[in-house]
Amino acid sequence: MTLTISHTAADGTLIDGTSRGDGSGDVLAAHGWRWFRSIGFWGIRSSRDRAPKVRLIELTAEALRASGFDVEIDIDSTARPTAEVEADRIDRQVARVEALELKAGRRSEQAESAWEAEQRAAAQLPPGGEPIKIGHHSEGRHRRALEKVHQRLGQAVSAEGDAKEARRRAEAAAVTTAARYSPVTVKNRIDKMHAEQRADQRELDGHERTLFVVRGVKQIEKFPPAEGTYRQSLITRIAERAEQITYWEGIRAQQIASGQANNFGPETIAKGDLVRCSGAWYPVVRVNKKSVTVPARIGGDWTDTIPYHKLAGHRQAKKAETASASSSSIKEVRS
């Protein structure tokens, strides 16, 4: 039998040609592959729109060949545009929510039927909680009736639990996309990708770092520029990530334009202003490049820093004083 291990950005890493009972499943499971029932293929989990795990693929192919299979490998490492990836992700998430909601509905119906069956079974028991009459001709019938009640009760409780779990998973899946596109998450993702770009660029160009200083003399460790296949993989990764950064920066620009995200920075906030975070206002002690310094947010004699993108509001010092004075006047009038 010939098996084909393939990898594409859209489908991830899958293997074609397996069949139930041919022995391939044991080999694949031992190497961390997973059976995807929805599509009827073995595959590597979370491999869609990721770089192929070439070493794992090669080890799996070797193990399958040792078990008597012919194995072909077809790897396409071409990445998809980020907009296409995100649209596909959202479609899958919508389908997942719908499937879980349908499952929750089925389980609820099963639970309702099971509860009704439990009530019918309970109605067959002797009235008044009569105990089992040991040795009486009714003993067997009584025990079977009790067993039936217990069985129906277990089915009802199990189905009700399954329905609640499916409903919980549906609710969690429904908010996943919104959480992924929340302004703070988007900005954090952009910052992380920029940091990864800088790290990869250092590897590509070569760099050095100071290990320690002895009597004013720096002890430096030098790293040469990347070479060979590693260099090529860095170039590919940097190019793919640059396209992703462009996409997410476009999303952030839209959020700023629509008012979903703020665009605060050292140019818009000054020392003495008030900033809002997590429902509370804090005076600005110092303005930094990427954050503001405020008094301790939980009380104390230290200071805390808050990144600009996590701020939910801003008042300039003069406006803050005016608002405070107005609030004091209102309190005096009321008193």
Side-chain angles (χ1 to χ4, degrees):
M1 291 180 287
T2 300
L3 308 180
T4 302
I5 298 177
S6 63
H7 176 90
T8 63
D11 297 328
T13 305
L14 302 173
I15 185 166
D16 188 22
T18 63
S19 59
R20 182 186 293 272
D22 65 0
S24 61
D26 294 336
V27 177
L28 293 169
H31 285 75
W33 290 59
R34 176 184 175 187
W35 174 253
F36 296 113
R37 185 175 57 181
S38 60
I39 60 176
F41 284 95
W42 285 90
I44 296 177
R45 189 173 185 176
S46 301
S47 59
R48 186 187 282 116
D49 292 306
R50 302 282 182 86
K53 297 181 178 180
V54 177
R55 183 57 180 160
L56 176 57
I57 291 173
E58 292 175 344
L59 288 173
T60 303
E62 291 174 5
L64 288 170
R65 290 180 183 123
S67 298
F69 295 94
D70 292 328
V71 182
E72 297 177 352
I73 298 176
D74 182 15
I75 295 178
D76 181 0
S77 301
T78 306
R80 295 192 294 171
T82 306
E84 182 180 335
V85 173
E86 290 299 314
D88 190 19
R89 182 193 295 269
I90 291 172
D91 289 343
R92 293 198 309 272
Q93 199 66 15
V94 170
R96 176 175 172 78
V97 171
E98 292 175 350
L100 286 170
E101 288 176 343
L102 288 173
K103 182 178 180 180
R106 291 195 302 269
R107 293 293 185 269
S108 294
E109 292 176 359
Q110 292 171 2
E112 185 175 351
S113 298
W115 280 118
E116 291 174 356
E118 188 270 343
Q119 291 297 317
R120 289 195 298 271
Q124 300 302 315
L125 292 173
E130 181 179 342
I132 297 174
K133 297 177 180 178
I134 307 299
H136 192 267
H137 65 82
S138 65
E139 179 183 354
R141 184 175 66 253
H142 197 159
R143 290 187 183 279
R144 289 192 296 274
L146 284 173
E147 179 61 28
K148 190 174 183 179
V149 170
H150 292 158
Q151 184 180 10
R152 296 292 183 268
L153 177 62
Q155 292 172 348
V157 171
S158 177
E160 192 169 84
D162 289 345
K164 289 180 179 179
E165 176 62 15
R167 197 171 296 110
R168 183 196 65 78
R169 292 172 63 192
E171 291 171 355
V175 302
T176 297
T177 298
R180 180 173 175 78
Y181 279 79
S182 72
V184 172
T185 300
V186 169
K187 183 60 168 64
N188 287 339
R189 183 177 296 116
I190 293 171
D191 290 345
K192 180 182 178 181
M193 288 191 293
H194 275 298
E196 292 171 343
Q197 286 291 74
R198 291 191 296 270
D200 280 351
Q201 193 65 50
R202 286 195 299 271
E203 290 287 307
L204 186 66
D205 299 337
H207 62 285
E208 58 183 42
R209 65 172 180 172
T210 300
L211 297 176
F212 51 85
V213 180
V214 179
R215 297 177 181 177
V217 179
K218 293 182 179 181
Q219 302 299 313
I220 297 175
E221 183 178 16
K222 294 185 178 181
F223 298 86
E227 298 178 348
T229 56
Y230 180 51
R231 179 178 182 83
Q232 188 56 49
S233 67
L234 283 173
I235 292 173
T236 301
R237 192 161 66 197
I238 289 172
E240 292 176 357
R241 192 183 293 119
E243 192 271 335
Q244 295 170 8
I245 290 173
T246 299
Y247 172 83
W248 287 110
E249 286 184 338
I251 294 296
R252 176 158 174 78
Q254 294 174 11
Q255 292 176 339
I256 291 174
S258 65
Q260 288 180 269
N262 72 67
N263 196 26
F264 298 140
E267 305 83 8
T268 58
I269 296 178
K271 181 178 179 180
D273 291 358
L274 290 181
V275 291
R276 186 169 179 265
C277 182
S278 301
W281 290 90
Y282 303 93
V284 176
V285 177
R286 185 170 58 252
V287 175
N288 312 304
K289 184 178 180 180
K290 297 183 179 180
S291 63
V292 291
T293 301
V294 299
R297 297 168 63 185
I298 59 173
D301 56 359
W302 61 88
T303 58
D304 292 327
T305 58
I306 306 175
Y308 288 115
H309 67 281
K310 291 188 177 181
L311 298 178
H314 168 229
R315 291 178 183 170
Q316 294 180 344
K318 292 182 179 179
K319 293 182 179 179
E321 292 175 1
T322 302
S324 178
S326 300
S327 177
S328 298
S329 299
I330 292 173
K331 289 180 180 179
E332 290 178 0
V333 170
R334 287 178 177 174
S335 63

PDB file of all heavy atoms in Angstrom, residues 34-59:
ATOM      1  N   ARG A  34      -2.983  12.520  14.866  1.00  0.00           N
ATOM      2  CA  ARG A  34      -4.329  12.456  15.424  1.00  0.00           C
ATOM      3  C   ARG A  34      -5.328  12.133  14.318  1.00  0.00           C
ATOM      4  O   ARG A  34      -5.177  12.606  13.187  1.00  0.00           O
ATOM      5  CB  ARG A  34      -4.677  13.804  16.073  1.00  0.00           C
ATOM      6  CG  ARG A  34      -6.091  13.906  16.608  1.00  0.00           C
ATOM      7  CD  ARG A  34      -6.358  15.296  17.139  1.00  0.00           C
ATOM      8  NE  ARG A  34      -7.738  15.468  17.546  1.00  0.00           N
ATOM      9  CZ  ARG A  34      -8.277  16.621  17.918  1.00  0.00           C
ATOM     10  NH1 ARG A  34      -7.519  17.705  17.941  1.00  0.00           N
ATOM     11  NH2 ARG A  34      -9.539  16.708  18.273  1.00  0.00           N
ATOM     12  N   TRP A  35      -6.332  11.320  14.660  1.00  0.00           N
ATOM     13  CA  TRP A  35      -7.382  11.004  13.701  1.00  0.00           C
ATOM     14  C   TRP A  35      -8.436  12.106  13.721  1.00  0.00           C
ATOM     15  O   TRP A  35      -9.045  12.394  14.741  1.00  0.00           O
ATOM     16  CB  TRP A  35      -8.046   9.670  14.039  1.00  0.00           C
ATOM     17  CG  TRP A  35      -9.239   9.359  13.176  1.00  0.00           C
ATOM     18  CD1 TRP A  35     -10.548   9.400  13.537  1.00  0.00           C
ATOM     19  CD2 TRP A  35      -9.219   8.977  11.794  1.00  0.00           C
ATOM     20  NE1 TRP A  35     -11.357   9.061  12.489  1.00  0.00           N
ATOM     21  CE2 TRP A  35     -10.564   8.797  11.395  1.00  0.00           C
ATOM     22  CE3 TRP A  35      -8.200   8.777  10.870  1.00  0.00           C
ATOM     23  CZ2 TRP A  35     -10.918   8.419  10.097  1.00  0.00           C
ATOM     24  CZ3 TRP A  35      -8.544   8.395   9.574  1.00  0.00           C
ATOM     25  CH2 TRP A  35      -9.890   8.220   9.205  1.00  0.00           C
ATOM     26  N   PHE A  36      -8.631  12.775  12.571  1.00  0.00           N
ATOM     27  CA  PHE A  36      -9.629  13.837  12.448  1.00  0.00           C
ATOM     28  C   PHE A  36     -10.895  13.221  11.863  1.00  0.00           C
ATOM     29  O   PHE A  36     -10.997  13.015  10.646  1.00  0.00           O
ATOM     30  CB  PHE A  36      -9.113  14.968  11.557  1.00  0.00           C
ATOM     31  CG  PHE A  36      -7.909  15.681  12.132  1.00  0.00           C
ATOM     32  CD1 PHE A  36      -6.675  15.589  11.502  1.00  0.00           C
ATOM     33  CD2 PHE A  36      -8.005  16.424  13.291  1.00  0.00           C
ATOM     34  CE1 PHE A  36      -5.568  16.242  12.021  1.00  0.00           C
ATOM     35  CE2 PHE A  36      -6.903  17.079  13.817  1.00  0.00           C
ATOM     36  CZ  PHE A  36      -5.689  16.979  13.181  1.00  0.00           C
ATOM     37  N   ARG A  37     -11.836  12.936  12.730  1.00  0.00           N
ATOM     38  CA  ARG A  37     -13.057  12.250  12.313  1.00  0.00           C
ATOM     39  C   ARG A  37     -13.863  13.080  11.322  1.00  0.00           C
ATOM     40  O   ARG A  37     -14.500  12.517  10.410  1.00  0.00           O
ATOM     41  CB  ARG A  37     -13.904  11.938  13.545  1.00  0.00           C
ATOM     42  CG  ARG A  37     -15.149  11.121  13.255  1.00  0.00           C
ATOM     43  CD  ARG A  37     -15.862  10.744  14.534  1.00  0.00           C
ATOM     44  NE  ARG A  37     -16.208  11.912  15.322  1.00  0.00           N
ATOM     45  CZ  ARG A  37     -16.820  11.853  16.505  1.00  0.00           C
ATOM     46  NH1 ARG A  37     -17.102  10.671  17.041  1.00  0.00           N
ATOM     47  NH2 ARG A  37     -17.109  12.958  17.155  1.00  0.00           N
ATOM     48  N   SER A  38     -13.847  14.405  11.465  1.00  0.00           N
ATOM     49  CA  SER A  38     -14.673  15.251  10.610  1.00  0.00           C
ATOM     50  C   SER A  38     -14.273  15.188   9.146  1.00  0.00           C
ATOM     51  O   SER A  38     -15.107  15.375   8.255  1.00  0.00           O
ATOM     52  CB  SER A  38     -14.607  16.709  11.098  1.00  0.00           C
ATOM     53  OG  SER A  38     -13.268  17.178  11.068  1.00  0.00           O
ATOM     54  N   ILE A  39     -12.987  14.921   8.872  1.00  0.00           N
ATOM     55  CA  ILE A  39     -12.527  14.867   7.481  1.00  0.00           C
ATOM     56  C   ILE A  39     -12.080  13.468   7.073  1.00  0.00           C
ATOM     57  O   ILE A  39     -11.804  13.216   5.894  1.00  0.00           O
ATOM     58  CB  ILE A  39     -11.389  15.872   7.222  1.00  0.00           C
ATOM     59  CG1 ILE A  39     -10.185  15.579   8.129  1.00  0.00           C
ATOM     60  CG2 ILE A  39     -11.870  17.303   7.423  1.00  0.00           C
ATOM     61  CD1 ILE A  39      -8.979  16.467   7.863  1.00  0.00           C
ATOM     62  N   GLY A  40     -11.985  12.545   8.051  1.00  0.00           N
ATOM     63  CA  GLY A  40     -11.619  11.176   7.733  1.00  0.00           C
ATOM     64  C   GLY A  40     -10.158  10.974   7.386  1.00  0.00           C
ATOM     65  O   GLY A  40      -9.827  10.107   6.570  1.00  0.00           O
ATOM     66  N   PHE A  41      -9.268  11.753   8.013  1.00  0.00           N
ATOM     67  CA  PHE A  41      -7.831  11.623   7.756  1.00  0.00           C
ATOM     68  C   PHE A  41      -7.058  11.680   9.070  1.00  0.00           C
ATOM     69  O   PHE A  41      -7.497  12.311  10.041  1.00  0.00           O
ATOM     70  CB  PHE A  41      -7.323  12.770   6.862  1.00  0.00           C
ATOM     71  CG  PHE A  41      -7.676  12.631   5.410  1.00  0.00           C
ATOM     72  CD1 PHE A  41      -8.812  13.252   4.898  1.00  0.00           C
ATOM     73  CD2 PHE A  41      -6.879  11.895   4.544  1.00  0.00           C
ATOM     74  CE1 PHE A  41      -9.139  13.140   3.563  1.00  0.00           C
ATOM     75  CE2 PHE A  41      -7.194  11.785   3.204  1.00  0.00           C
ATOM     76  CZ  PHE A  41      -8.334  12.397   2.705  1.00  0.00           C
ATOM     77  N   TRP A  42      -5.891  11.015   9.067  1.00  0.00           N
ATOM     78  CA  TRP A  42      -4.913  11.251  10.118  1.00  0.00           C
ATOM     79  C   TRP A  42      -4.153  12.525   9.763  1.00  0.00           C
ATOM     80  O   TRP A  42      -3.880  12.800   8.592  1.00  0.00           O
ATOM     81  CB  TRP A  42      -3.921  10.090  10.202  1.00  0.00           C
ATOM     82  CG  TRP A  42      -4.459   8.858  10.842  1.00  0.00           C
ATOM     83  CD1 TRP A  42      -5.095   7.819  10.229  1.00  0.00           C
ATOM     84  CD2 TRP A  42      -4.395   8.523  12.238  1.00  0.00           C
ATOM     85  NE1 TRP A  42      -5.445   6.856  11.143  1.00  0.00           N
ATOM     86  CE2 TRP A  42      -5.016   7.257  12.391  1.00  0.00           C
ATOM     87  CE3 TRP A  42      -3.872   9.152  13.361  1.00  0.00           C
ATOM     88  CZ2 TRP A  42      -5.131   6.626  13.623  1.00  0.00           C
ATOM     89  CZ3 TRP A  42      -3.985   8.510  14.595  1.00  0.00           C
ATOM     90  CH2 TRP A  42      -4.609   7.279  14.725  1.00  0.00           C
ATOM     91  N   GLY A  43      -3.790  13.299  10.793  1.00  0.00           N
ATOM     92  CA  GLY A  43      -3.045  14.525  10.544  1.00  0.00           C
ATOM     93  C   GLY A  43      -2.274  14.973  11.774  1.00  0.00           C
ATOM     94  O   GLY A  43      -2.410  14.395  12.856  1.00  0.00           O
ATOM     95  N   ILE A  44      -1.488  16.001  11.609  1.00  0.00           N
ATOM     96  CA  ILE A  44      -0.745  16.607  12.709  1.00  0.00           C
ATOM     97  C   ILE A  44      -1.554  17.790  13.216  1.00  0.00           C
ATOM     98  O   ILE A  44      -1.917  18.681  12.444  1.00  0.00           O
ATOM     99  CB  ILE A  44       0.656  17.056  12.264  1.00  0.00           C
ATOM    100  CG1 ILE A  44       1.487  15.837  11.846  1.00  0.00           C
ATOM    101  CG2 ILE A  44       1.369  17.812  13.390  1.00  0.00           C
ATOM    102  CD1 ILE A  44       2.870  16.183  11.327  1.00  0.00           C
ATOM    103  N   ARG A  45      -1.813  17.783  14.491  1.00  0.00           N
ATOM    104  CA  ARG A  45      -2.653  18.824  15.087  1.00  0.00           C
ATOM    105  C   ARG A  45      -1.994  20.197  14.967  1.00  0.00           C
ATOM    106  O   ARG A  45      -0.783  20.342  15.096  1.00  0.00           O
ATOM    107  CB  ARG A  45      -2.906  18.496  16.558  1.00  0.00           C
ATOM    108  CG  ARG A  45      -3.923  19.377  17.225  1.00  0.00           C
ATOM    109  CD  ARG A  45      -4.241  18.867  18.614  1.00  0.00           C
ATOM    110  NE  ARG A  45      -5.301  19.638  19.229  1.00  0.00           N
ATOM    111  CZ  ARG A  45      -5.834  19.352  20.415  1.00  0.00           C
ATOM    112  NH1 ARG A  45      -5.392  18.308  21.084  1.00  0.00           N
ATOM    113  NH2 ARG A  45      -6.795  20.102  20.910  1.00  0.00           N
ATOM    114  N   SER A  46      -2.833  21.218  14.714  1.00  0.00           N
ATOM    115  CA  SER A  46      -2.401  22.629  14.626  1.00  0.00           C
ATOM    116  C   SER A  46      -1.310  22.827  13.572  1.00  0.00           C
ATOM    117  O   SER A  46      -0.401  23.629  13.759  1.00  0.00           O
ATOM    118  CB  SER A  46      -1.902  23.124  15.991  1.00  0.00           C
ATOM    119  OG  SER A  46      -2.900  23.021  16.976  1.00  0.00           O
ATOM    120  N   SER A  47      -1.400  22.094  12.475  1.00  0.00           N
ATOM    121  CA  SER A  47      -0.401  22.240  11.409  1.00  0.00           C
ATOM    122  C   SER A  47      -0.884  23.137  10.278  1.00  0.00           C
ATOM    123  O   SER A  47      -0.097  23.506   9.397  1.00  0.00           O
ATOM    124  CB  SER A  47      -0.031  20.869  10.841  1.00  0.00           C
ATOM    125  OG  SER A  47      -1.164  20.195  10.320  1.00  0.00           O
ATOM    126  N   ARG A  48      -2.159  23.510  10.301  1.00  0.00           N
ATOM    127  CA  ARG A  48      -2.680  24.391   9.254  1.00  0.00           C
ATOM    128  C   ARG A  48      -2.070  25.786   9.388  1.00  0.00           C
ATOM    129  O   ARG A  48      -1.990  26.342  10.482  1.00  0.00           O
ATOM    130  CB  ARG A  48      -4.207  24.462   9.358  1.00  0.00           C
ATOM    131  CG  ARG A  48      -4.859  25.231   8.229  1.00  0.00           C
ATOM    132  CD  ARG A  48      -6.342  25.406   8.468  1.00  0.00           C
ATOM    133  NE  ARG A  48      -7.103  24.201   8.164  1.00  0.00           N
ATOM    134  CZ  ARG A  48      -7.790  23.504   9.040  1.00  0.00           C
ATOM    135  NH1 ARG A  48      -7.787  23.875  10.318  1.00  0.00           N
ATOM    136  NH2 ARG A  48      -8.464  22.437   8.698  1.00  0.00           N
ATOM    137  N   ASP A  49      -1.613  26.325   8.269  1.00  0.00           N
ATOM    138  CA  ASP A  49      -0.998  27.661   8.217  1.00  0.00           C
ATOM    139  C   ASP A  49       0.192  27.779   9.162  1.00  0.00           C
ATOM    140  O   ASP A  49       0.468  28.834   9.730  1.00  0.00           O
ATOM    141  CB  ASP A  49      -2.038  28.749   8.528  1.00  0.00           C
ATOM    142  CG  ASP A  49      -3.086  28.858   7.424  1.00  0.00           C
ATOM    143  OD1 ASP A  49      -2.682  29.026   6.264  1.00  0.00           O
ATOM    144  OD2 ASP A  49      -4.287  28.756   7.728  1.00  0.00           O
ATOM    145  N   ARG A  50       0.916  26.688   9.310  1.00  0.00           N
ATOM    146  CA  ARG A  50       2.176  26.665  10.059  1.00  0.00           C
ATOM    147  C   ARG A  50       3.254  26.048   9.174  1.00  0.00           C
ATOM    148  O   ARG A  50       2.949  25.333   8.212  1.00  0.00           O
ATOM    149  CB  ARG A  50       2.039  25.824  11.336  1.00  0.00           C
ATOM    150  CG  ARG A  50       0.940  26.282  12.287  1.00  0.00           C
ATOM    151  CD  ARG A  50       1.354  27.482  13.092  1.00  0.00           C
ATOM    152  NE  ARG A  50       0.328  27.893  14.028  1.00  0.00           N
ATOM    153  CZ  ARG A  50       0.182  27.389  15.256  1.00  0.00           C
ATOM    154  NH1 ARG A  50       1.003  26.429  15.667  1.00  0.00           N
ATOM    155  NH2 ARG A  50      -0.763  27.823  16.059  1.00  0.00           N
ATOM    156  N   ALA A  51       4.494  26.309   9.508  1.00  0.00           N
ATOM    157  CA  ALA A  51       5.596  25.682   8.779  1.00  0.00           C
ATOM    158  C   ALA A  51       5.530  24.170   8.996  1.00  0.00           C
ATOM    159  O   ALA A  51       5.236  23.713  10.105  1.00  0.00           O
ATOM    160  CB  ALA A  51       6.930  26.229   9.257  1.00  0.00           C
ATOM    161  N   PRO A  52       5.772  23.370   7.978  1.00  0.00           N
ATOM    162  CA  PRO A  52       5.696  21.911   8.143  1.00  0.00           C
ATOM    163  C   PRO A  52       6.743  21.396   9.119  1.00  0.00           C
ATOM    164  O   PRO A  52       7.877  21.881   9.135  1.00  0.00           O
ATOM    165  CB  PRO A  52       5.949  21.386   6.725  1.00  0.00           C
ATOM    166  CG  PRO A  52       6.708  22.473   6.041  1.00  0.00           C
ATOM    167  CD  PRO A  52       6.180  23.755   6.610  1.00  0.00           C
ATOM    168  N   LYS A  53       6.358  20.422   9.923  1.00  0.00           N
ATOM    169  CA  LYS A  53       7.301  19.789  10.852  1.00  0.00           C
ATOM    170  C   LYS A  53       8.038  18.685  10.095  1.00  0.00           C
ATOM    171  O   LYS A  53       7.696  17.502  10.167  1.00  0.00           O
ATOM    172  CB  LYS A  53       6.560  19.241  12.066  1.00  0.00           C
ATOM    173  CG  LYS A  53       5.866  20.333  12.890  1.00  0.00           C
ATOM    174  CD  LYS A  53       5.157  19.751  14.101  1.00  0.00           C
ATOM    175  CE  LYS A  53       4.521  20.848  14.941  1.00  0.00           C
ATOM    176  NZ  LYS A  53       3.808  20.317  16.129  1.00  0.00           N
ATOM    177  N   VAL A  54       9.054  19.106   9.354  1.00  0.00           N
ATOM    178  CA  VAL A  54       9.735  18.210   8.426  1.00  0.00           C
ATOM    179  C   VAL A  54      10.336  17.008   9.145  1.00  0.00           C
ATOM    180  O   VAL A  54      10.225  15.864   8.675  1.00  0.00           O
ATOM    181  CB  VAL A  54      10.820  18.972   7.646  1.00  0.00           C
ATOM    182  CG1 VAL A  54      11.582  18.024   6.716  1.00  0.00           C
ATOM    183  CG2 VAL A  54      10.200  20.110   6.852  1.00  0.00           C
ATOM    184  N   ARG A  55      10.977  17.232  10.277  1.00  0.00           N
ATOM    185  CA  ARG A  55      11.613  16.130  10.999  1.00  0.00           C
ATOM    186  C   ARG A  55      10.590  15.096  11.438  1.00  0.00           C
ATOM    187  O   ARG A  55      10.811  13.888  11.307  1.00  0.00           O
ATOM    188  CB  ARG A  55      12.389  16.679  12.207  1.00  0.00           C
ATOM    189  CG  ARG A  55      13.144  15.619  12.989  1.00  0.00           C
ATOM    190  CD  ARG A  55      14.111  14.854  12.112  1.00  0.00           C
ATOM    191  NE  ARG A  55      14.840  13.830  12.846  1.00  0.00           N
ATOM    192  CZ  ARG A  55      15.432  12.793  12.272  1.00  0.00           C
ATOM    193  NH1 ARG A  55      15.378  12.634  10.956  1.00  0.00           N
ATOM    194  NH2 ARG A  55      16.086  11.916  13.008  1.00  0.00           N
ATOM    195  N   LEU A  56       9.451  15.537  11.965  1.00  0.00           N
ATOM    196  CA  LEU A  56       8.399  14.618  12.390  1.00  0.00           C
ATOM    197  C   LEU A  56       7.846  13.858  11.184  1.00  0.00           C
ATOM    198  O   LEU A  56       7.578  12.646  11.269  1.00  0.00           O
ATOM    199  CB  LEU A  56       7.276  15.382  13.090  1.00  0.00           C
ATOM    200  CG  LEU A  56       6.048  14.567  13.504  1.00  0.00           C
ATOM    201  CD1 LEU A  56       6.451  13.412  14.411  1.00  0.00           C
ATOM    202  CD2 LEU A  56       5.020  15.460  14.186  1.00  0.00           C
ATOM    203  N   ILE A  57       7.674  14.554  10.079  1.00  0.00           N
ATOM    204  CA  ILE A  57       7.175  13.906   8.863  1.00  0.00           C
ATOM    205  C   ILE A  57       8.148  12.810   8.410  1.00  0.00           C
ATOM    206  O   ILE A  57       7.742  11.699   8.062  1.00  0.00           O
ATOM    207  CB  ILE A  57       6.968  14.948   7.749  1.00  0.00           C
ATOM    208  CG1 ILE A  57       5.796  15.880   8.104  1.00  0.00           C
ATOM    209  CG2 ILE A  57       6.710  14.272   6.403  1.00  0.00           C
ATOM    210  CD1 ILE A  57       5.621  17.049   7.162  1.00  0.00           C
ATOM    211  N   GLU A  58       9.435  13.121   8.421  1.00  0.00           N
ATOM    212  CA  GLU A  58      10.441  12.140   7.987  1.00  0.00           C
ATOM    213  C   GLU A  58      10.496  10.941   8.933  1.00  0.00           C
ATOM    214  O   GLU A  58      10.599   9.791   8.483  1.00  0.00           O
ATOM    215  CB  GLU A  58      11.810  12.814   7.899  1.00  0.00           C
ATOM    216  CG  GLU A  58      11.905  13.840   6.769  1.00  0.00           C
ATOM    217  CD  GLU A  58      13.235  14.581   6.772  1.00  0.00           C
ATOM    218  OE1 GLU A  58      13.934  14.510   7.810  1.00  0.00           O
ATOM    219  OE2 GLU A  58      13.558  15.234   5.768  1.00  0.00           O
ATOM    220  N   LEU A  59      10.425  11.180  10.254  1.00  0.00           N
ATOM    221  CA  LEU A  59      10.437  10.083  11.218  1.00  0.00           C
ATOM    222  C   LEU A  59       9.211   9.184  11.042  1.00  0.00           C
ATOM    223  O   LEU A  59       9.307   7.951  11.129  1.00  0.00           O
ATOM    224  CB  LEU A  59      10.487  10.636  12.644  1.00  0.00           C
ATOM    225  CG  LEU A  59      11.814  11.260  13.094  1.00  0.00           C
ATOM    226  CD1 LEU A  59      11.646  11.904  14.464  1.00  0.00           C
ATOM    227  CD2 LEU A  59      12.920  10.205  13.135  1.00  0.00           C
TER     228      LEU A  59
END
